[in-house]
Short mmCIF file of all heavy atoms in Angstrom, two decimals:
data_model
loop_
_atom_site.label_atom_id
_atom_site.label_comp_id
_atom_site.label_asym_id
_atom_site.label_seq_id
_atom_site.Cartn_x
_atom_site.Cartn_y
_atom_site.Cartn_z
N VAL Z 24 0.85 -1.19 0.00
CA VAL Z 24 0.00 0.00 0.00
C VAL Z 24 0.88 1.24 0.00
O VAL Z 24 2.07 1.19 0.31
CB VAL Z 24 -0.97 0.05 1.21
CG1 VAL Z 24 -1.93 -1.14 1.18
CG2 VAL Z 24 -0.21 0.11 2.52
N VAL Z 25 0.28 2.37 -0.36
CA VAL Z 25 1.01 3.64 -0.41
C VAL Z 25 0.37 4.65 0.54
O VAL Z 25 -0.78 4.50 0.96
CB VAL Z 25 1.05 4.21 -1.85
CG1 VAL Z 25 1.98 3.42 -2.72
CG2 VAL Z 25 -0.35 4.26 -2.46
N LEU Z 26 1.13 5.69 0.87
CA LEU Z 26 0.66 6.74 1.79
C LEU Z 26 -0.19 7.74 1.02
O LEU Z 26 0.31 8.73 0.48
CB LEU Z 26 1.86 7.44 2.44
CG LEU Z 26 2.71 6.58 3.38
CD1 LEU Z 26 3.94 7.35 3.83
CD2 LEU Z 26 1.88 6.13 4.58
N CYS Z 27 -1.46 7.44 0.93
CA CYS Z 27 -2.36 8.28 0.15
C CYS Z 27 -3.72 8.33 0.84
O CYS Z 27 -3.98 7.60 1.80
CB CYS Z 27 -2.51 7.75 -1.27
SG CYS Z 27 -3.42 6.18 -1.36
N ALA Z 28 -4.58 9.20 0.33
CA ALA Z 28 -5.95 9.27 0.86
C ALA Z 28 -6.86 9.91 -0.18
O ALA Z 28 -6.46 10.81 -0.92
CB ALA Z 28 -5.98 10.09 2.15
N ASP Z 29 -8.09 9.43 -0.21
CA ASP Z 29 -9.17 10.08 -0.96
C ASP Z 29 -10.16 10.63 0.05
O ASP Z 29 -10.48 9.95 1.04
CB ASP Z 29 -9.89 9.09 -1.87
CG ASP Z 29 -9.06 8.66 -3.06
OD1 ASP Z 29 -8.01 9.29 -3.32
OD2 ASP Z 29 -9.45 7.69 -3.74
N MET Z 30 -10.63 11.86 -0.18
CA MET Z 30 -11.72 12.38 0.63
C MET Z 30 -13.03 12.15 -0.11
O MET Z 30 -13.19 12.60 -1.25
CB MET Z 30 -11.56 13.87 0.93
CG MET Z 30 -12.68 14.41 1.86
SD MET Z 30 -12.73 16.21 2.01
CE MET Z 30 -11.25 16.53 2.96
N ILE Z 31 -13.95 11.43 0.55
CA ILE Z 31 -15.25 11.13 -0.04
C ILE Z 31 -16.29 12.08 0.55
O ILE Z 31 -16.44 12.17 1.77
CB ILE Z 31 -15.66 9.66 0.25
CG1 ILE Z 31 -14.52 8.71 -0.14
CG2 ILE Z 31 -16.95 9.32 -0.50
CD1 ILE Z 31 -14.10 8.78 -1.58
N ALA Z 32 -16.99 12.79 -0.32
CA ALA Z 32 -18.03 13.71 0.13
C ALA Z 32 -19.29 12.94 0.52
O ALA Z 32 -19.57 11.87 -0.04
CB ALA Z 32 -18.35 14.72 -0.97
N PRO Z 33 -20.06 13.46 1.46
CA PRO Z 33 -21.32 12.81 1.83
C PRO Z 33 -22.41 13.00 0.78
O PRO Z 33 -22.19 13.66 -0.23
CB PRO Z 33 -21.70 13.52 3.14
CG PRO Z 33 -21.06 14.87 3.02
CD PRO Z 33 -19.79 14.67 2.23
N GLU Z 34 -23.56 12.39 1.01
CA GLU Z 34 -24.75 12.52 0.18
C GLU Z 34 -24.58 11.95 -1.21
O GLU Z 34 -25.28 12.32 -2.15
CB GLU Z 34 -25.18 14.00 0.07
CG GLU Z 34 -25.45 14.67 1.41
CD GLU Z 34 -25.78 16.13 1.23
OE1 GLU Z 34 -26.89 16.45 0.76
OE2 GLU Z 34 -24.90 16.97 1.54
N GLY Z 35 -23.61 11.04 -1.38
CA GLY Z 35 -23.47 10.37 -2.67
C GLY Z 35 -22.69 11.13 -3.71
O GLY Z 35 -22.77 10.81 -4.90
N TYR Z 36 -21.89 12.12 -3.30
CA TYR Z 36 -21.16 12.94 -4.27
C TYR Z 36 -19.77 12.41 -4.59
O TYR Z 36 -19.07 12.95 -5.45
CB TYR Z 36 -21.11 14.40 -3.81
CG TYR Z 36 -22.46 15.06 -4.00
CD1 TYR Z 36 -23.38 15.14 -2.95
CD2 TYR Z 36 -22.85 15.55 -5.24
CE1 TYR Z 36 -24.63 15.71 -3.13
CE2 TYR Z 36 -24.09 16.12 -5.44
CZ TYR Z 36 -24.98 16.20 -4.37
OH TYR Z 36 -26.22 16.76 -4.57
N GLY Z 37 -19.32 11.40 -3.88
CA GLY Z 37 -18.10 10.71 -4.25
C GLY Z 37 -16.82 11.46 -3.90
O GLY Z 37 -16.81 12.38 -3.09
N GLU Z 38 -15.72 11.04 -4.53
CA GLU Z 38 -14.41 11.59 -4.24
C GLU Z 38 -14.29 13.04 -4.70
O GLU Z 38 -14.57 13.36 -5.85
CB GLU Z 38 -13.34 10.76 -4.95
CG GLU Z 38 -11.92 11.27 -4.77
CD GLU Z 38 -10.94 10.67 -5.76
OE1 GLU Z 38 -11.24 9.59 -6.32
OE2 GLU Z 38 -9.89 11.29 -5.99
N ILE Z 39 -13.86 13.90 -3.78
CA ILE Z 39 -13.61 15.29 -4.17
C ILE Z 39 -12.14 15.65 -4.04
O ILE Z 39 -11.69 16.64 -4.63
CB ILE Z 39 -14.46 16.29 -3.36
CG1 ILE Z 39 -14.27 16.10 -1.85
CG2 ILE Z 39 -15.93 16.19 -3.74
CD1 ILE Z 39 -14.91 17.19 -1.02
N ILE Z 40 -11.37 14.85 -3.26
CA ILE Z 40 -9.93 15.09 -3.13
C ILE Z 40 -9.19 13.77 -3.26
O ILE Z 40 -9.62 12.75 -2.72
CB ILE Z 40 -9.58 15.72 -1.77
CG1 ILE Z 40 -10.03 17.18 -1.69
CG2 ILE Z 40 -8.07 15.66 -1.51
CD1 ILE Z 40 -9.68 17.86 -0.38
N GLY Z 41 -8.07 13.80 -3.97
CA GLY Z 41 -7.12 12.71 -3.97
C GLY Z 41 -5.75 13.26 -3.65
O GLY Z 41 -5.36 14.30 -4.21
N GLY Z 42 -5.04 12.63 -2.73
CA GLY Z 42 -3.73 13.16 -2.36
C GLY Z 42 -2.82 12.08 -1.83
O GLY Z 42 -3.23 10.94 -1.60
N SER Z 43 -1.56 12.44 -1.64
CA SER Z 43 -0.60 11.46 -1.14
C SER Z 43 0.65 12.16 -0.65
O SER Z 43 0.90 13.33 -0.97
CB SER Z 43 -0.21 10.46 -2.23
OG SER Z 43 0.63 11.07 -3.20
N GLU Z 44 1.46 11.41 0.09
CA GLU Z 44 2.85 11.81 0.30
C GLU Z 44 3.59 11.33 -0.94
O GLU Z 44 3.31 10.25 -1.47
CB GLU Z 44 3.41 11.18 1.57
CG GLU Z 44 4.79 11.71 1.94
CD GLU Z 44 5.23 11.34 3.35
OE1 GLU Z 44 4.35 11.05 4.18
OE2 GLU Z 44 6.45 11.33 3.59
N ARG Z 45 4.52 12.13 -1.43
CA ARG Z 45 5.22 11.82 -2.68
C ARG Z 45 6.52 11.05 -2.37
O ARG Z 45 7.17 11.30 -1.34
CB ARG Z 45 5.55 13.08 -3.46
CG ARG Z 45 4.44 14.13 -3.53
CD ARG Z 45 3.08 13.60 -3.94
NE ARG Z 45 2.16 14.70 -4.26
CZ ARG Z 45 0.89 14.55 -4.54
NH1 ARG Z 45 0.34 13.34 -4.53
NH2 ARG Z 45 0.14 15.60 -4.85
N GLU Z 46 6.88 10.15 -3.26
CA GLU Z 46 8.14 9.43 -3.09
C GLU Z 46 9.30 10.41 -3.20
O GLU Z 46 9.42 11.13 -4.20
CB GLU Z 46 8.27 8.33 -4.14
CG GLU Z 46 9.55 7.51 -4.02
CD GLU Z 46 9.72 6.92 -2.64
OE1 GLU Z 46 8.94 6.02 -2.28
OE2 GLU Z 46 10.63 7.39 -1.90
N ASP Z 47 10.14 10.48 -2.17
CA ASP Z 47 11.24 11.44 -2.18
C ASP Z 47 12.60 10.78 -2.35
O ASP Z 47 13.63 11.47 -2.35
CB ASP Z 47 11.22 12.28 -0.90
CG ASP Z 47 11.21 11.42 0.35
OD1 ASP Z 47 12.28 10.89 0.72
OD2 ASP Z 47 10.14 11.27 0.97
N ASP Z 48 12.64 9.46 -2.52
CA ASP Z 48 13.90 8.74 -2.71
C ASP Z 48 14.17 8.55 -4.20
O ASP Z 48 13.32 8.01 -4.93
CB ASP Z 48 13.83 7.39 -2.00
CG ASP Z 48 15.13 6.61 -2.13
OD1 ASP Z 48 15.26 5.87 -3.14
OD2 ASP Z 48 16.00 6.73 -1.25
N TYR Z 49 15.32 8.97 -4.66
CA TYR Z 49 15.66 8.93 -6.09
C TYR Z 49 15.56 7.52 -6.66
O TYR Z 49 14.90 7.30 -7.69
CB TYR Z 49 17.07 9.48 -6.30
CG TYR Z 49 17.52 9.47 -7.75
CD1 TYR Z 49 17.25 10.54 -8.59
CD2 TYR Z 49 18.21 8.37 -8.27
CE1 TYR Z 49 17.65 10.53 -9.92
CE2 TYR Z 49 18.62 8.35 -9.59
CZ TYR Z 49 18.34 9.42 -10.41
OH TYR Z 49 18.73 9.41 -11.73
N GLU Z 50 16.21 6.55 -6.04
CA GLU Z 50 16.26 5.20 -6.59
C GLU Z 50 14.88 4.55 -6.60
O GLU Z 50 14.51 3.86 -7.55
CB GLU Z 50 17.26 4.33 -5.82
CG GLU Z 50 18.71 4.77 -5.99
CD GLU Z 50 19.20 4.70 -7.44
OE1 GLU Z 50 18.62 3.92 -8.22
OE2 GLU Z 50 20.14 5.44 -7.79
N LYS Z 51 14.12 4.77 -5.55
CA LYS Z 51 12.78 4.17 -5.49
C LYS Z 51 11.86 4.77 -6.56
O LYS Z 51 11.09 4.06 -7.21
CB LYS Z 51 12.17 4.38 -4.10
CG LYS Z 51 12.81 3.51 -3.01
CD LYS Z 51 12.10 3.72 -1.67
CE LYS Z 51 12.71 2.83 -0.60
NZ LYS Z 51 12.06 3.03 0.72
N LEU Z 52 11.93 6.08 -6.73
CA LEU Z 52 11.10 6.72 -7.75
C LEU Z 52 11.52 6.27 -9.15
O LEU Z 52 10.66 5.99 -10.01
CB LEU Z 52 11.19 8.24 -7.63
CG LEU Z 52 10.33 9.02 -8.62
CD1 LEU Z 52 8.85 8.69 -8.46
CD2 LEU Z 52 10.55 10.52 -8.45
N LYS Z 53 12.82 6.17 -9.38
CA LYS Z 53 13.30 5.71 -10.68
C LYS Z 53 12.78 4.31 -10.97
O LYS Z 53 12.32 4.02 -12.10
CB LYS Z 53 14.83 5.72 -10.69
CG LYS Z 53 15.44 5.26 -12.01
CD LYS Z 53 16.98 5.29 -11.94
CE LYS Z 53 17.58 4.79 -13.23
NZ LYS Z 53 19.07 4.76 -13.18
N ALA Z 54 12.83 3.43 -9.97
CA ALA Z 54 12.35 2.05 -10.16
C ALA Z 54 10.86 2.04 -10.47
O ALA Z 54 10.39 1.25 -11.30
CB ALA Z 54 12.63 1.24 -8.90
N GLN Z 55 10.10 2.94 -9.83
CA GLN Z 55 8.67 3.00 -10.09
C GLN Z 55 8.37 3.49 -11.50
O GLN Z 55 7.47 2.98 -12.17
CB GLN Z 55 8.00 3.93 -9.06
CG GLN Z 55 7.69 3.27 -7.73
CD GLN Z 55 6.66 2.17 -7.89
OE1 GLN Z 55 7.01 0.98 -8.01
NE2 GLN Z 55 5.40 2.54 -7.93
N ILE Z 56 9.11 4.48 -11.95
CA ILE Z 56 8.91 4.98 -13.32
C ILE Z 56 9.17 3.87 -14.33
O ILE Z 56 8.40 3.68 -15.28
CB ILE Z 56 9.83 6.20 -13.58
CG1 ILE Z 56 9.37 7.39 -12.72
CG2 ILE Z 56 9.83 6.58 -15.06
CD1 ILE Z 56 10.31 8.58 -12.76
N GLU Z 57 10.21 3.11 -14.10
CA GLU Z 57 10.53 2.00 -14.99
C GLU Z 57 9.46 0.91 -14.90
O GLU Z 57 9.06 0.33 -15.93
CB GLU Z 57 11.91 1.43 -14.65
CG GLU Z 57 13.04 2.38 -14.99
CD GLU Z 57 14.41 1.85 -14.54
OE1 GLU Z 57 14.47 1.19 -13.48
OE2 GLU Z 57 15.40 2.09 -15.25
N ALA Z 58 9.00 0.63 -13.69
CA ALA Z 58 7.98 -0.41 -13.51
C ALA Z 58 6.67 -0.06 -14.21
O ALA Z 58 5.95 -0.94 -14.68
CB ALA Z 58 7.73 -0.63 -12.02
N PHE Z 59 6.38 1.23 -14.33
CA PHE Z 59 5.15 1.68 -15.00
C PHE Z 59 5.34 1.77 -16.51
O PHE Z 59 4.42 2.14 -17.23
CB PHE Z 59 4.70 3.04 -14.44
CG PHE Z 59 3.80 2.95 -13.24
CD1 PHE Z 59 4.31 2.54 -12.01
CD2 PHE Z 59 2.46 3.26 -13.32
CE1 PHE Z 59 3.50 2.46 -10.89
CE2 PHE Z 59 1.63 3.18 -12.22
CZ PHE Z 59 2.15 2.78 -10.99
N GLY Z 60 6.54 1.45 -16.99
CA GLY Z 60 6.80 1.48 -18.42
C GLY Z 60 6.90 2.87 -19.00
O GLY Z 60 6.66 3.08 -20.19
N LEU Z 61 7.29 3.84 -18.17
CA LEU Z 61 7.40 5.22 -18.61
C LEU Z 61 8.82 5.52 -19.06
O LEU Z 61 9.77 4.85 -18.68
CB LEU Z 61 6.98 6.17 -17.48
CG LEU Z 61 5.55 5.96 -16.95
CD1 LEU Z 61 5.31 6.85 -15.73
CD2 LEU Z 61 4.52 6.24 -18.04
N ASP Z 62 8.96 6.56 -19.87
CA ASP Z 62 10.24 6.93 -20.45
C ASP Z 62 11.05 7.72 -19.42
O ASP Z 62 10.68 8.84 -19.05
CB ASP Z 62 10.00 7.77 -21.70
CG ASP Z 62 11.29 8.09 -22.46
OD1 ASP Z 62 12.38 7.92 -21.89
OD2 ASP Z 62 11.19 8.52 -23.62
N LEU Z 63 12.17 7.16 -18.99
CA LEU Z 63 13.00 7.83 -17.98
C LEU Z 63 13.48 9.20 -18.45
O LEU Z 63 13.58 10.14 -17.65
CB LEU Z 63 14.21 6.96 -17.62
CG LEU Z 63 13.99 5.87 -16.56
CD1 LEU Z 63 15.24 5.00 -16.45
CD2 LEU Z 63 13.64 6.49 -15.21
N GLU Z 64 13.77 9.32 -19.73
CA GLU Z 64 14.25 10.60 -20.25
C GLU Z 64 13.20 11.69 -20.09
O GLU Z 64 13.51 12.84 -19.77
CB GLU Z 64 14.64 10.44 -21.72
CG GLU Z 64 15.31 11.67 -22.30
CD GLU Z 64 15.81 11.44 -23.72
OE1 GLU Z 64 16.11 10.29 -24.07
OE2 GLU Z 64 15.89 12.43 -24.47
N GLU Z 65 11.93 11.32 -20.32
CA GLU Z 65 10.84 12.29 -20.18
C GLU Z 65 10.69 12.78 -18.74
O GLU Z 65 10.24 13.90 -18.48
CB GLU Z 65 9.52 11.68 -20.65
CG GLU Z 65 9.43 11.46 -22.15
CD GLU Z 65 9.22 12.76 -22.91
OE1 GLU Z 65 8.97 13.80 -22.27
OE2 GLU Z 65 9.33 12.73 -24.15
N TYR Z 66 11.04 11.92 -17.81
CA TYR Z 66 10.85 12.24 -16.39
C TYR Z 66 12.16 12.60 -15.69
O TYR Z 66 12.21 12.68 -14.46
CB TYR Z 66 10.18 11.07 -15.67
CG TYR Z 66 8.75 10.87 -16.09
CD1 TYR Z 66 8.42 10.06 -17.17
CD2 TYR Z 66 7.71 11.52 -15.42
CE1 TYR Z 66 7.11 9.88 -17.57
CE2 TYR Z 66 6.40 11.36 -15.81
CZ TYR Z 66 6.10 10.54 -16.88
OH TYR Z 66 4.80 10.37 -17.28
#
């Protein structure tokens, strides 16, 4: 799991906020970009 949260509004209005703590470690973020099949040069 990741450090994130969605805020769900009452009365059936669903998610109004999505947020998270961001990965701040270089190697971990690089591995995630590669795992998602994204272009390292672009990022």
Side-chain angles (χ1 to χ4, degrees):
V24 298
V25 287
L26 294 174
C27 69
D29 289 348
M30 183 190 290
I31 309 301
E34 303 176 74
Y36 286 96
E38 177 195 340
I39 55 171
I40 288 181
S43 72
E44 188 167 338
R45 317 311 192 186
E46 181 54 69
D47 53 77
D48 181 272
Y49 179 89
E50 293 299 335
K51 288 183 178 179
L52 182 60
K53 180 180 178 182
Q55 277 295 97
I56 292 173
E57 291 175 326
F59 272 71
L61 302 174
D62 186 345
L63 275 174
E64 187 175 333
E65 289 286 350
Y66 291 89

